[in-house]
């Protein structure tokens, strides 16, 4: 698969608390924050974002690491080049103070920025709230973001932090006790549903992590756990990326069914409620999108100048 030239995606930036990052957007309707896995926003992550937009949501992709659109598959770019690119993205995460890689019981500082982004996109796109999908290293971010009541549909796809180097790390996830209590309260009070996806043999996402989420969230946690044999056999790495690299996008395939469950969650929580609100006779008509212009609409936001590792 070639690199994606980002055609069809609007480009902009978002700044919060002095930190500015680039943003990609596609679609209209309630916002879904799509947080990529290492090494970054690959063509297959963009394909997932296109599916989100196709159901009537706005896919919003913050550039947290890597080069947007760059294909990291070693079958296309070579093992050495792809390996160096992936290592470069991982190194930047490990040395950054905004990502909590090893600590247990702690939300990554970048979650505060992501919550602010979700708040802006809710105001910008309208709807009852916002969805979020985290993948791999960012998987737990969607859970921590759900401490904010605007987050209505959190999806944790192969949440891999903290790195499962010890039993205690394997049996936890990267969220603070305070944020976890807030999410649990929303599940009990508001009926919040949290979805998690993993392959059963994935060592980066041990079964103890999902067992922890079941204990903490009860029936509010929906676990989609797939046999390794259902993963795309042509992927370069062992079964891990449910919605992207290991997806077999064909009817009847378990990974396709998992993707459909994610999209159905967004429909139920963001689109059905949105339509019900607008269909209520006593509710005044209001536009889905604020009249104010998008302050972050960037025709030249520097995406083309991102550094690539060769």
């Amino acid at each position: 698969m070639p690199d994606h030239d980002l055609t069809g995606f609007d480009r902009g930036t978002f700044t919060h608390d002095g930190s500015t990052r680039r943003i990609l957007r596609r679609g209209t309707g309630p916002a879904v924050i799509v947080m990529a896995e290492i090494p970054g926003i690959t063509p297959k992550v963009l394909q997932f974002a296109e599916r989100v937009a196709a159901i009537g949501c706005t896919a919003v992709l913050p550039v947290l690491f890597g080069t947007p659109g760059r294909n990291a598959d070693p079958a296309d770019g070579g093992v050495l080049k792809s390996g160096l690119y992936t290592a470069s993205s991982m190194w930047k995460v490990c040395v950054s103070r905004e990502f909590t890689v090893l600590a247990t019981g702690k939300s990554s500082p970048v979650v505060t920025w992501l919550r602010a982004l979700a708040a802006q996109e809710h105001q910008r796109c309208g709807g009852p709230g916002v969805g979020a999908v985290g993948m791999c290293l960012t998987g737990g971010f969607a859970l921590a973001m759900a401490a904010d009541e605007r987050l209505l549909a959190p999806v944790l796809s192969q949440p891999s932090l903290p790195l499962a180097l010890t039993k205690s790390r394997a049996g936890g996830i990267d969220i603070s006790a305070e944020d976890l209590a807030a999410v649990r309260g929303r599940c009990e009070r508001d009926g919040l549903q949290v979805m998690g996806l993993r392959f059963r043999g994935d060592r980066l996402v041990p079964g103890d992590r999902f067992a922890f989420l079941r204990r903490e969230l009860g029936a509010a946690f929906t676990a989609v756990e797939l046999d390794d044999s259902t993963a795309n056999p042509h992927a370069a790495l062992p079964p891990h990326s449910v919605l992207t690299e290991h997806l077999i996008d064909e009817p009847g395939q378990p990974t396709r069914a998992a993707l459909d469950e994610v999209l159905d969650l967004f429909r139920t929580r963001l689109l059905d409620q949105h339509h019900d609100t607008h269909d209520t006779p006593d509710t005044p008509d209001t536009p889905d999108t604020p009249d104010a212009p998008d302050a972050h609409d960037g025709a030249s936001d520097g995406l083309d100048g991102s550094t690539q590792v060769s």
Side-chain angles (χ1 to χ4, degrees):
M1 178 179 290
D3 291 348
H4 195 299
D5 64 4
L6 308 182
T7 297
F9 287 84
D10 297 327
R11 312 182 196 191
T13 60
F14 174 68
T15 300
H16 174 71
D17 197 23
S19 179
T20 299
R21 290 184 173 86
R22 294 164 289 160
I23 304 293
L24 302 177
R25 293 187 185 90
R26 182 176 178 126
T28 59
V32 174
I33 312 300
V34 178
M35 295 164 284
E37 55 205 329
I38 291 290
I41 302 173
T42 64
K44 291 193 175 181
V45 173
L46 292 168
Q47 285 182 349
F48 171 77
E50 290 167 353
R51 299 294 285 270
V52 171
I55 68 169
C57 291
T58 303
V60 181
L61 298 87
V63 182
L64 301 177
F65 38 74
T67 303
R70 181 169 177 177
N71 181 19
D73 191 336
D76 298 314
V79 174
L80 179 59
K81 189 174 182 179
S82 296
L84 287 173
Y85 173 48
T86 299
S88 173
S89 293
M90 192 65 201
W91 172 252
K92 290 175 182 177
V93 166
C94 290
V95 300
S96 172
R97 295 181 179 180
E98 295 197 276
F99 297 88
T100 299
V101 177
L102 294 175
T104 57
K106 183 178 180 181
S107 300
S108 288
V110 73
V111 168
T112 301
W113 186 92
L114 290 165
R115 286 181 187 142
L117 172 65
Q120 180 206 254
E121 294 300 325
H122 181 214
Q123 182 179 18
R124 178 180 183 274
C125 300
V130 179
V133 183
M135 304 176 184
C136 185
L137 182 143
T138 66
F141 296 177
L143 181 65
M145 289 172 67
D148 187 309
E149 295 192 355
R150 281 165 287 219
L151 205 296
L152 301 183
V155 176
L156 291 56
S157 189
Q158 72 271 1
S160 303
L161 293 184
L163 296 178
L165 302 179
T166 65
K167 187 174 180 59
S168 63
R169 291 190 175 97
I173 198 167
D174 53 331
I175 187 172
S176 69
E178 181 181 7
D179 286 345
L180 181 57
V183 173
R184 188 189 306 113
R186 291 193 60 210
C187 292
E188 296 169 352
R189 181 180 66 252
D190 305 328
L192 178 72
Q193 293 290 314
V194 178
M195 182 178 291
L197 304 95
R198 65 181 286 268
F199 287 104
R200 289 189 175 92
D202 189 351
R203 294 184 179 181
L204 293 174
V205 194
D208 286 351
R209 182 158 297 158
F210 273 30
F212 169 80
L213 291 170
R214 288 189 185 94
R215 288 195 304 272
E216 293 294 328
L217 303 180
F221 178 63
T222 299
V224 179
E225 299 181 281
L226 305 174
D227 290 336
D228 289 13
S229 61
T230 66
N232 187 341
H234 303 297
L237 299 175
H240 178 64
S241 303
V242 178
L243 301 175
T244 56
E245 302 301 323
H246 290 96
L247 170 68
I248 302 177
D249 196 3
E250 299 172 0
Q253 291 290 338
T255 50
R256 169 67 177 273
L259 170 63
D260 290 342
E261 283 196 57
V262 171
L263 297 177
D264 284 344
L265 178 67
F266 295 149
R267 288 190 186 96
T268 301
R269 295 288 169 165
L270 302 177
L271 297 175
D272 292 350
Q273 291 186 33
H274 182 46
H275 294 153
D276 290 345
T277 298
H278 282 266
D279 289 343
T280 303
D282 295 332
T283 302
D285 291 333
T286 54
D288 290 347
T289 305
D291 291 333
D294 181 12
H296 304 295
D297 185 18
S300 58
D301 58 2
L303 280 172
D304 295 334
S306 299
T307 302
Q308 296 196 13
V309 179
S310 59

